[in-house]
Amino acid sequence: MAIIERNGCFKLDTKNTTYAFQITKFGFLMHTHYGAKISDVDLAYVYPLVRNRSFINAPAEDTNMVLNITDVPQEYSGFGVGDFRTTALRIRHSDGSRAADLRYCDYEIIDGAVRPEKLPCATVNGAKNIQTLKIILKDSATDVYVNMYYTVYEDTDVITRFNEVVNKGDAPIYIEKASSLQLDLFNRDYDLVQFEGRWAQERHMKRAPLASGTQGFVSRRGTSSHQHSPFFCLCEKDTNEKAGGVYGFHLVYSGNHRTEVEVAQFDNPRVLMGINDEGFCWKLDGDDKFVTPQAFMTYSADGFGKMSRNLHMFIRNHIFRPKWKGVRRPLLINNWEATYFDFDQQKLVELATTAGKLGIELLVMDDGWFGHREDDKTSLGDWVPYKKRLPAGLKPLAEGINNAGLKFGIWMEPEMVSEDSELYRAHPDWVLSIPGRGRSLGRNQYVLNLVNDEVKEYVVAAIFNVLSSANIEYLKWDMNRYLTEVYSATLSADSQGEVYHRYVLAVYDILDRVITNFPNLLIEHCSGGGGRFDTGMLYYSPQIWTSDDTDAIERLDVQHGTSFGFPITSMGSHVSAVPNHQTGRVASMNLRANVAYSGTFGYELDINKLTDEEREMIKAQTAFYKENYDLINNGDYFRLAKNDTFVSWGFASPDRKDMLIFFVQLEGGPNGSDVFVKLDCAENAFCYKDIDGGDTYFGDTLKNIGLCFPLTQGERKAYCKHFKAI
Ligand code: DGJ
């Protein structure tokens, strides 16, 4: 049994971890352990109920003052009645008071998983050993309840969490904050590892020790953002790739998010993750409930490597919808960096014809095919083919591409509208805007107010129309600005704090209807590259364009950071032209491919302008990728080395008999020498053969001494070594 309850103590076990809490005096839920697996169930001894002898703040009925609320590690904290740490839940009641005093009511153990309504989430997907614990808490003074759901995925060492706030009273309440996950820990000896960035440089890893007080990160941009990924880790001081304790946390959400770690007075950190409460206020009427997004967490006692592999497997098996679980997706060519807005049907069919001969399987027509879209100032919202480029519409184009042996994919940016568009001229009131204020532009466009059902239905109809007009098997769903003037005239003044979240719910609703009506459609998500790279989006689209920066050297940082929380198979990764369009850097074809292989591989350059020799290289590359698809996309991923001189990473099959090792030398040096990369992915007892005619090594040699790579003068070099156990 994954979940047990004994005398008010709850223990949630996965293969290698235990999560535990118990009912303590006066019905508070005291958190007692999250980490390596343990046997005891009653862990009351781990925390004194009072640590501060003076200045105790006891609950109202605790006349002997035996419990100091602000000292106790809690499962879901209230506020206003003595817990002075940052709170998971903040409610304004109809009388204007702000307080929540959450006490235990009841529990239920349910086989399988429970879904947060209308939100993307992990699903069972045919797996076994999954159980859910539902805990009901109640505010001592009102009819406000909190249902907490913990689903234990025993085999992948992951626990998901979400909460429902239920108003069983008559009067409305106002939820000003409702976190998805709280974790109260016992000491501050952790580093906070976050993944921050900016457009074209997303998810660079940053590690810093926890300091007293509050630290964390947020998005206020309406999307999960290029700046702060809704994923982070807390690790012990000496944790590295292969050793040490580390927690990984994900929020399954694509809008404003907040992560806080408050190190309180006894050096005890409180971790909270959920919707960002800035600009948020949800009016909850009587007999109604608010559902938080889901969060999930894992713990690894064996360093970052194991933590990432837990998360990769979990996302592949439980976040991706079953349709894409373990399924090979097509190797693509995208025309954006090949043509930008300068294309027509003939050019695309020519591209597809060459692509087909090189082993490419899908052509994606990017931005510029609709309205009269000559540049990025016009036509968003008018989802009808641009006569100049596609005189006979999408059907003959799709046929031309299919005849070349490729699938056909299309780009849309459904959430947006250009000022110069039929849609905006007809419905200027359909954009997010505040009456009496100017409308801020982002990339020359406005955001449609999807909170208005009429607008949402227009968008759904437009997408359905496009997708059913031709044989379209792939949709690149883009989103190229953040939200401003976040207001909806369809809601009352006291519900305007709901607009950010309702916007995200509307996007999810549209996506849900698209995948329901077009079940075979493959969606790749994109937001100016990786501006909405989160597990909320991965639920609908198993691949996301990782970054608009296609430079192979820049991608080493972006893909390295992203790999901590997200599976390799989710990262869109293409070979593009040189000099690179974002950095002007020139990298060899070999290096560009060796970096791009670690993702959903594809091309984004005009292959008709390449030399025959380069096209032959592409042929070999597509064959290589297809041959190793399973190892790269479903195998175990290892970050082997990363420093200023070189980067190395690799993949191993679950039985460790097959290994693919990549190495990139970052700088040429004056004194060439050799470096050794220890292959943590090797199995000690196996004997491995370099199948490209290289040497044979024992696994323990590769693991403890390593594989030797030369550092040479001149341009940056990349190597790929393929080993099989013999
Ligand atoms: C931003 C995307 O990230 C690019 O790949 C491309 O699709 C452009 N938008 C098109 O406008």
Side-chain angles (χ1 to χ4, degrees):
M1 291 290 276
I3 300 172
I4 52 172
E5 185 280 335
R6 206 176 294 154
N7 303 324
C9 302
F10 298 90
K11 186 162 173 284
L12 287 57
D13 283 333
T14 67
K15 201 160 60 181
N16 301 296
T17 71
T18 294
Y19 186 99
F21 55 90
Q22 58 196 64
I23 307 164
T24 189
K25 288 209 163 52
F26 312 109
F28 288 97
L29 265 193
M30 180 167 88
H31 177 78
T32 50
H33 177 67
Y34 184 36
K37 199 162 186 168
I38 57 170
S39 309
D40 273 314
V41 180
D42 185 347
L43 298 164
Y45 81 99
V46 301
Y47 211 85
L49 297 182
V50 174
R51 294 180 80 165
N52 236 352
R53 279 289 147 206
S54 51
F55 271 90
I56 292 175
N57 278 89
E61 69 272 43
D62 179 11
T63 45
N64 293 324
M65 302 220 294
V66 298
L67 185 142
N68 192 7
I69 302 173
T70 209
D71 283 353
V72 176
Q74 302 202 40
E75 276 305 295
Y76 204 67
S77 55
F79 74 102
V81 289
D83 187 341
F84 300 109
R85 293 165 288 182
T86 182
T87 181
L89 180 74
R90 201 165 52 240
I91 295 170
R92 178 160 47 89
H93 299 276
S94 55
D95 62 0
S97 65
R98 285 183 168 86
D101 180 15
L102 299 173
R103 310 291 181 96
Y104 172 81
C105 271
D106 203 357
Y107 82 97
E108 186 184 350
I109 295 174
I110 304 158
D111 277 334
V114 176
R115 293 188 68 107
E117 274 170 35
K118 299 187 180 157
L119 283 157
C121 61
T123 53
V124 169
N125 275 356
K128 295 200 173 65
N129 304 332
I130 295 167
Q131 271 193 327
T132 300
L133 173 64
K134 176 181 179 184
I135 296 277
I136 303 174
L137 304 175
K138 182 185 178 301
D139 177 26
S140 59
T142 67
D143 283 324
V144 175
Y145 291 76
V146 175
N147 300 330
M148 303 194 291
Y149 295 89
Y150 301 76
T151 300
V152 181
Y153 291 79
E154 215 175 325
D155 298 341
T156 41
D157 284 336
V158 166
I159 299 176
T160 67
R161 320 247 314 244
F162 76 92
N163 309 297
E164 293 168 341
V165 182
V166 187
N167 181 9
K168 292 194 181 162
D170 296 327
I173 60 167
Y174 295 85
I175 302 171
E176 296 178 334
K177 183 178 183 188
S179 302
S180 297
L181 172 149
Q182 172 171 335
L183 179 63
D184 281 3
L185 295 164
F186 301 104
N187 73 68
R188 70 185 278 175
D189 295 332
Y190 294 101
D191 289 346
L192 172 64
V193 185
Q194 52 173 307
F195 300 86
E196 57 161 50
R198 55 209 70 81
W199 174 78
Q201 288 183 309
E202 299 88 339
R203 289 171 299 285
H204 287 208
M205 180 205 188
K206 288 276 153 61
R207 176 173 178 168
L210 288 184
S212 299
T214 304
Q215 50 246 279
F217 52 90
V218 300
S219 168
R220 306 179 186 93
R221 293 168 190 263
T223 61
S224 47
S225 86
H226 299 88
Q227 285 71 16
H228 297 287
S229 176
F231 159 69
F232 75 103
C233 319
L234 272 186
C235 65
E236 289 164 4
K237 296 280 165 214
D238 53 358
T239 295
N240 57 34
E241 280 297 330
K242 43 188 177 177
V246 51
Y247 302 96
F249 304 92
H250 262 286
L251 187 67
V252 189
Y253 193 57
S254 312
N256 289 346
H257 56 90
R258 170 181 289 274
T259 289
E260 294 164 86
V261 185
E262 180 180 1
V263 176
Q265 59 179 344
F266 292 110
D267 285 346
N268 44 330
R270 166 168 291 174
V271 177
L272 293 172
M273 195 178 203
I275 291 179
N276 188 357
D277 52 318
E278 293 167 88
F280 173 83
C281 180
W282 192 275
K283 181 183 176 193
L284 190 67
D285 287 319
D287 222 17
D288 202 357
K289 70 177 175 203
F290 175 78
V291 186
T292 71
Q294 190 174 66
F296 61 90
M297 54 192 190
T298 190
Y299 174 80
S300 152
D302 302 314
F304 289 109
K306 174 75 166 53
M307 175 207 72
S308 294
R309 289 187 288 281
N310 288 351
L311 294 173
H312 292 183
M313 188 178 290
F314 181 74
I315 292 169
R316 291 195 310 251
N317 289 346
H318 299 290
I319 295 286
F320 287 0
R321 64 192 166 110
K323 163 83 191 158
W324 300 116
K325 187 174 154 184
V327 168
R328 185 159 98 68
R329 287 175 255 126
L331 203 161
L332 67 84
I333 183 158
N334 178 303
N335 76 309
W336 180 241
E337 288 197 14
T339 67
Y340 294 103
F341 291 107
D342 181 19
F343 69 88
D344 58 18
Q345 173 165 332
Q346 190 188 340
K347 219 178 204 173
L348 294 183
V349 174
E350 280 168 13
L351 207 55
T353 307
T354 309
K357 293 182 190 140
L358 305 182
I360 296 169
E361 300 160 315
L362 162 75
L363 181 132
V364 181
M365 174 176 63
D366 211 280
D367 193 356
W369 63 267
F370 50 91
H372 57 275
R373 182 110 162 142
E374 283 294 329
D375 55 31
D376 65 11
K377 291 195 174 59
T378 169
S379 299
L380 291 170
D382 297 346
W383 300 109
V384 286
Y386 185 8
K387 287 242 157 14
K388 184 178 119 182
R389 302 197 206 290
L390 308 173
L394 293 172
K395 207 159 192 255
L397 170 66
E399 282 164 5
I401 287 166
N402 291 163
N403 290 340
L406 274 75
K407 293 175 192 292
F408 172 55
I410 201 165
W411 178 99
M412 289 183 82
E413 196 177 355
E415 298 157 68
M416 298 293 153
V417 64
S418 309
E419 194 160 2
D420 174 16
S421 67
E422 296 305 320
L423 181 65
Y424 190 78
R425 278 185 281 276
H427 300 286
D429 54 326
W430 274 14
V431 304
L432 281 179
S433 57
I434 303 178
R437 287 187 189 274
R439 298 173 174 193
S440 319
L441 284 165
R443 205 201 186 198
N444 305 304
Q445 63 202 44
Y446 300 125
V447 183
L448 287 169
N449 177 11
L450 301 177
V451 172
N452 177 343
D453 280 341
E454 208 187 339
V455 181
K456 186 170 78 174
E457 292 313 314
Y458 171 86
V459 170
V460 171
I463 300 172
F464 280 25
N465 223 0
V466 169
L467 293 179
S468 45
S469 68
N471 185 22
I472 298 172
E473 297 181 73
Y474 165 107
L475 171 65
K476 179 176 174 185
W477 179 304
D478 207 345
M479 201 283 190
N480 283 302
R481 62 160 291 179
Y482 306 121
L483 273 51
T484 54
E485 289 88 36
V486 176
Y487 177 92
S488 177
T490 56
L491 296 174
S492 60
D494 61 350
S495 288
Q496 291 301 326
E498 300 170 20
V499 178
Y500 275 115
H501 183 53
R502 285 190 186 276
Y503 180 90
V504 180
L505 292 177
V507 173
Y508 290 153
D509 181 39
I510 299 171
L511 280 161
D512 211 58
R513 288 158 71 180
V514 171
I515 59 173
T516 306
N517 281 275
F518 300 90
N520 295 322
L521 181 77
L522 171 60
I523 303 178
E524 170 161 324
H525 191 72
C526 173
S527 178
R532 212 161 48 175
F533 201 117
D534 53 64
T535 45
M537 282 299 157
L538 284 177
Y539 175 82
Y540 304 100
S541 64
Q543 57 195 62
I544 300 179
W545 184 223
T546 318
S547 175
D548 271 348
D549 197 334
T550 57
D551 177 287
I553 300 301
E554 291 278 312
R555 277 296 187 113
L556 289 171
D557 283 328
V558 175
Q559 293 177 195
H560 171 261
T562 308
S563 77
F564 276 81
F566 300 88
I568 303 311
T569 190
S570 66
M571 295 186 221
S573 183
H574 302 167
V575 173
S576 63
V578 286
N580 178 268
H581 294 187
Q582 290 76 38
T583 62
R585 201 180 262 139
V586 176
S588 70
M589 185 66 130
N590 179 50
L591 193 154
R592 280 176 278 156
N594 273 308
V595 174
Y597 287 145
S598 295
T600 50
F601 184 56
Y603 292 85
E604 188 151 339
L605 75 175
D606 190 346
I607 48 178
N608 285 324
K609 289 192 182 140
L610 299 180
T611 62
D612 288 344
E613 194 193 342
E614 285 170 321
R615 277 194 284 268
E616 281 309 309
M617 288 175 88
I618 293 185
K619 214 189 246 179
Q621 289 166 359
T622 58
F624 169 87
Y625 188 72
K626 287 176 195 169
E627 216 170 283
N628 293 291
Y629 186 92
D630 196 47
L631 191 50
I632 293 173
N633 287 270
N634 302 315
D636 289 341
Y637 178 73
F638 290 79
R639 289 174 295 268
L640 299 172
K642 189 169 193 299
N643 54 44
D644 291 344
T645 315
F646 61 90
V647 185
S648 181
W649 66 98
F651 300 88
S653 56
D655 63 5
R656 300 290 181 265
K657 289 188 171 157
D658 202 0
M659 297 192 301
L660 207 51
I661 309 299
F662 292 93
F663 179 94
V664 175
Q665 180 188 345
L666 293 170
E667 300 296 344
N671 296 313
S673 58
D674 295 338
V675 291
F676 287 82
V677 175
K678 293 181 181 175
L679 304 192
D680 305 332
C681 43
E683 181 65 49
N684 284 342
F686 289 170
C687 184
Y688 289 97
K689 170 101 185 120
D690 174 342
I691 63 163
D692 297 314
D695 293 332
T696 302
Y697 308 82
F698 274 110
D700 49 12
T701 307
L702 290 173
K703 206 172 202 168
N704 295 301
I705 298 179
L707 189 62
C708 181
F709 290 96
L711 294 183
T712 54
Q713 287 185 325
E715 65 173 50
R716 297 177 179 88
K717 296 219 171 52
Y719 306 90
C720 172
K721 298 271 181 196
H722 195 168
F723 292 96
K724 286 207 192 257
I726 50 174

